[in-house]
Amino acid sequence: MEFLQLLLVLIAMIIIIAKPQKEKLAFGLVVVSWLFMAYLYIGHKSGALLTTINL
């Protein structure tokens, strides 16, 4: 999943370099990527059994 997130950021960078007038689209991709990363992190931490148990 990290590859997908980094790919979204790379696409946003390419859009900014190639077509600066599409800056809002690129920023939207970066925000979606950040939200996706946060969602996966929170889902992983709250759903994992071993993180709630002290070993």
Side-chain angles (χ1 to χ4, degrees):
M1 282 299 159
E2 289 84 11
F3 178 73
L4 175 63
Q5 296 151 357
L6 290 175
L7 186 65
L8 283 172
V9 173
L10 177 68
I11 290 171
M13 287 176 43
I14 290 171
I15 288 173
I16 288 175
I17 291 170
K19 296 182 184 247
Q21 65 272 18
K22 301 263 185 184
E23 183 180 342
K24 286 186 180 182
L25 173 67
F27 183 72
L29 282 175
V30 171
V31 169
V32 166
S33 165
W34 287 342
L35 291 174
F36 192 54
M37 285 184 222
Y39 171 73
L40 288 178
Y41 177 77
I42 291 169
H44 174 73
K45 286 296 180 185
S46 66
L49 178 64
L50 291 178
T51 58
T52 59
I53 300 173
N54 261 341
L55 294 177

